Amino acid sequence: MVDPTPFLDALARAGLRLTAPRRALAQLIADQAGHFSAADLVAESQARSLGIGRATIFRTLDALSGLGVVERIDLPSGEHAYVGCAPTHHHHVVCSRCGRTAQIDDAGLRTVVREVAQRTGYRVDEHKLELFGLCPACLPAAPFPLQRPA
Amino acid sequence: MVDPTPFLDALARAGLRLTAPRRALAQLIADQAGHFSAADLVAESQARSLGIGRATIFRTLDALSGLGVVERIDLPSGEHAYVGCAPTHHHHVVCSRCGRTAQIDDAGLRTVVREVAQRTGYRVDEHKLELFGLCPACLPAAPFPLQRPA
DNA sequence: GCCATACTGAGACTCAGTCGCATCACGCCC
DNA sequence: GGGCGTGATGCGACTGAGTCTCAGTATGGC
Ligand SMILES: [Zn+2]
Ligand SMILES: [Zn+2]
Ligand SMILES: [Zn+2]
Ligand SMILES: [Zn+2]
């Protein structure tokens, strides 16, 4: 039951209409603890009998991610998931157990990108960094790393 | 018409059989200039009348990526693509125009990962970094960056 | 309150990827 | 150089994500 206003504000600021389905979805998204999939929203919307069409859920996710307040992450499994987040450049650490994410800013990546550009001769326009592991809350539950950190 | 033996070697080393479809696919993959999708292979296999089933293509890609000689990359568009590559830890710079990729090793990312872990309290087990831009060959053709480098 | 128009829901559709199963053929052993 | 066990194949049906169309609805500027 977190605050959905950032999502609504973003929509309003972009000149998009604040319709009932969008309000409901903003709330639904704000309520998510970790990352969530479009299917999750469909299921919950049905569970809560919100009467929101599947297409609208996809369209709203598109709109919100276009505005940068929701971001798509590519799970190692190949699935797509979303997280609500701030519309500034950043990356995510994703907990493989509970799905909760933390935002991280540049964290020294700028240097890495510059070095890569220099070494490869590519002009790098865009980059994506995702980190997976266990959040502080889940750490005690799982003693061994899945893979050696690298 | 590049050399398909690295793929075949990897299969053999893993105790997998070198069947006709796998040989054909190894060649097909070796022939790819940039990244390719499962659908690309299906199409080319049909074009060359290789008679390879769709399922086999997916299964072979799974096997090869399990062995690390092929890697799945998540394009910004959300599509999945594959690239043949060395079975060591590395990342890719992907040309948004021609799809050609360059491998890059750690490139200072280790430090970034460590810093992120420290700042967030997460234990980071796995990470994925992908860079997108233009390769040296495509650079002259496209004067403006799609987005400000960040 | 009216109206242009952005948005919506329903449902059909496409396309990636999976699965089960009968058949095949690789490659080890002789 | 054959047999044979078993891993691999192809087919075709299936699932599930995401898209599209279109007629109808409701937002928000005026
Ligand atoms: Zn984000
Ligand atoms: Zn967790
Ligand atoms: Zn690779
Ligand atoms: Zn290029």
Side-chain angles (χ1 to χ4, degrees):
Chain A
M1 193 55 72
V2 194
D3 189 18
T5 50
F7 304 116
L8 299 172
D9 284 356
L11 289 168
R13 230 176 300 119
L16 300 173
R17 292 185 180 172
L18 295 184
T19 65
R22 283 179 179 168
R23 289 174 196 278
L25 282 173
Q27 184 62 65
L28 221 46
I29 293 174
D31 288 352
Q32 302 296 318
H35 54 68
F36 56 91
S37 64
D40 290 340
L41 296 186
V42 172
E44 269 193 70
S45 138
Q46 269 170 349
R48 301 194 196 177
S49 305
L50 298 177
I52 302 175
R54 247 165 53 84
T56 299
I57 291 178
F58 281 99
R59 286 186 287 232
T60 304
L61 280 173
D62 278 356
L64 291 175
S65 69
L67 299 172
V69 289
V70 150
E71 203 168 308
R72 201 194 66 225
I73 55 185
D74 298 301
L75 268 13
S77 65
E79 296 165 311
H80 290 165
Y82 296 87
V83 261
C85 59
T88 56
H89 182 75
H90 63 269
H91 307 281
H92 293 259
V93 210
V94 182
C95 178
S96 326
R97 188 164 163 277
C98 72
R100 250 170 267 260
T101 63
Q103 293 195 17
I104 50 184
D105 65 7
D106 189 79
L109 195 62
R110 200 176 204 90
T111 322
V112 174
V113 171
R114 201 173 308 122
E115 185 180 337
V116 167
Q118 219 162 42
R119 273 205 250 162
T120 61
Y122 276 61
R123 186 189 72 202
V124 176
D125 297 327
E126 210 177 331
H127 66 259
K128 192 168 55 167
L129 171 66
E130 282 166 10
L131 304 137
F132 303 93
L134 289 176
C135 74
C138 292
L139 252 181
F144 293 115
L146 282 61
Q147 304 191 352
R148 154 171 320 126
Chain B
M1 192 56 70
V2 194
D3 189 18
T5 49
F7 304 116
L8 300 172
D9 283 357
L11 290 169
R13 231 176 299 118
L16 300 173
R17 291 186 180 171
L18 295 185
T19 66
R22 284 180 179 166
R23 287 174 198 279
L25 282 172
Q27 185 61 66
L28 222 47
I29 292 174
D31 288 351
Q32 303 297 317
H35 53 66
F36 56 91
S37 63
D40 291 339
L41 296 186
V42 172
E44 268 192 71
S45 137
Q46 269 170 349
R48 302 195 195 176
S49 306
L50 299 177
I52 303 175
R54 247 166 53 83
T56 298
I57 290 178
F58 282 99
R59 284 185 287 232
T60 304
L61 280 173
D62 278 356
L64 291 175
S65 69
L67 298 173
V69 289
V70 150
E71 203 167 308
R72 202 194 66 224
I73 56 186
D74 298 300
L75 267 14
S77 65
E79 296 163 311
H80 290 165
Y82 296 86
V83 261
C85 61
T88 56
H89 182 74
H90 63 267
H91 306 282
H92 293 259
V93 211
V94 182
C95 177
S96 326
R97 187 163 164 277
C98 71
R100 250 170 268 261
T101 63
Q103 293 194 17
I104 50 183
D105 64 7
D106 188 78
L109 195 62
R110 200 175 204 91
T111 322
V112 174
V113 171
R114 202 173 309 123
E115 184 180 338
V116 167
Q118 218 162 44
R119 273 205 250 162
T120 61
Y122 276 61
R123 187 189 70 201
V124 177
D125 296 327
E126 211 176 330
H127 66 260
K128 191 168 55 166
L129 171 66
E130 281 167 9
L131 304 137
F132 303 93
L134 290 177
C135 74
C138 292
L139 252 180
F144 293 116
L146 283 60
Q147 304 190 353
R148 156 171 319 125

